[in-house]
Amino acid sequence: FLERAGEQAMQRAARFEAVEHFSDALQLLHSQPDTPERRWEELRLLLARGGVLVVMNGFRHPEVERIFTQVLTLSRQVEESPQLLPVLMGLSRFALVRGEYQAAHDLAARFTRIAAGVEDAASLVPAHFVLGFSAFRVGQFAVARQHLEQGIALRAQPQSRPKPLDNLLYRLAANGQDPRVGCQSWLGWVLWHLGYPDQALTHSTQAITLSQDLMLTTSEASAQYFAAAVHRSRRDSQAVLASAERVIAIATERESPYWLASGTFLHGWALAEEGQWEPGIAEMKKGIAGWRTLGHEHLAQPILLLAEVCSKAGRANEGFRLLSSVIPLIALSAERWWEAERYRIEGELILRAHDGGMETEAENCFRQALAVAREQQAKSLELRAAISLARLWIGQGRTDDTRAMLSEVHAWFTEGFETGDLRDAKALLDELSDVSGRQAAVS
């Protein structure tokens, strides 16, 4: 009954009461004999309590770290059965946020091994969700797409009804994100990287609709956040503003500091993109500070976005300082999903900070960005790197090289031609055609 009371409290966002109920349940459980059944129940209650504390205090809170260490120890003392799946999901999420990617990979592999023997599709959806976002983090976009699409396909199959707390555990393990919604959201984000901006938008919209149909408010915050990420990548600042405001509204209503920080950061980026540099940069910094307060220290991508905004705002030196602060973090981790952008943004900062000087250094950065994007099959990131390199080469009069390189990348795309990056690429190709036309006329 205490367990069920904790679940109901969580559903009503009564987090302090939920922690109290789960704590009382654990205290009562410890008075029982040490049996395999007790260990299973203890795992479930610890994960539930830890998940609530993560929402309240972040991953770096001492009590959260103690609980997840205890959960990891207990998970090795029980048999490998489907009951362990939400536990492993929570542990893998904990490891990912802390930047412990090898540990996260090992846990995901264990998750898959167990889930492979489960006929219930409800258990396989979270398995593919875990593997999808794990692969994404290390830059394996094609692998991530495969797992997330399988998760979505399994969602439509008949499945048994898991116990209510199992659903809650999965959402807590994924930081409030229902795995069904998560597969849809992350697939949208993955598809943008792979070069399908329109399909990315479709899946992001479907994720929001699904979260609303399921009446899962926190999952909607997650879906809105990833939709905003897709909008940002498509360079639609007005759509980002709308999604960010919805995230902030949910975070305020649910008293969620994590989603408040996330919405604030996105809102700031959109303001900056609209030319409101100072308030935009201030909000982006506020969002990053909020994440750090909650224990999220691996923030290379948000800091790189802030560095890029500072560069556009004429604050290249500040952008360089921000870039320098994340390079060691990137080097020490296996997180590679934004590696191509790290080199491209560095090249842009070099050019802006030196008024077009140090072109060789900038070109090397753009070439490195191209190489990483091609290795990862990240066509959208390859396009961005190609555009930056094309602008540099046009300024140097290398029109033939530019046309050959940029037209090859641009010709690959079959959708999203109204998005900012593809419009820029087309404008550059048109400019090159005009130059060739004028040269032909002169000759």
Side-chain angles (χ1 to χ4, degrees), residues 328-385:
L329 294 177
I330 296 172
L332 291 173
S333 77
E335 189 168 8
R336 299 192 62 210
W337 67 284
W338 208 244
E339 185 178 357
E341 279 290 84
R342 165 256 192 270
Y343 288 111
R344 186 190 68 81
I345 291 171
E346 182 177 5
E348 295 287 358
L349 281 166
I350 288 172
L351 291 177
R352 288 192 173 101
H354 297 89
D355 295 324
M358 296 183 66
E359 292 182 349
T360 300
E361 290 80 358
E363 180 174 343
N364 289 338
C365 288
F366 297 148
R367 287 183 177 276
Q368 186 66 26
L370 275 171
V372 172
R374 287 167 178 165
E375 175 199 343
Q376 297 177 346
Q377 303 175 52
K379 300 303 292 189
S380 290
L381 299 184
E382 181 183 350
L383 178 66
R384 285 189 172 180

Side-chain angles (χ1 to χ4, degrees), residues 124-130 132 144-145 147-153 155 177-190 203 207 210:
L124 290 170
V125 173
H128 287 295
F129 175 51
V130 169
R145 178 183 183 179
H147 283 295
L148 296 169
E149 287 181 338
Q150 289 180 38
I152 291 170
R155 193 190 76 209
Q177 188 175 20
D178 185 278
R180 295 165 292 181
V181 179
C183 284
Q184 204 85 52
S185 292
W186 279 84
L187 180 59
W189 194 209
V190 167
H203 282 283
L210 178 60

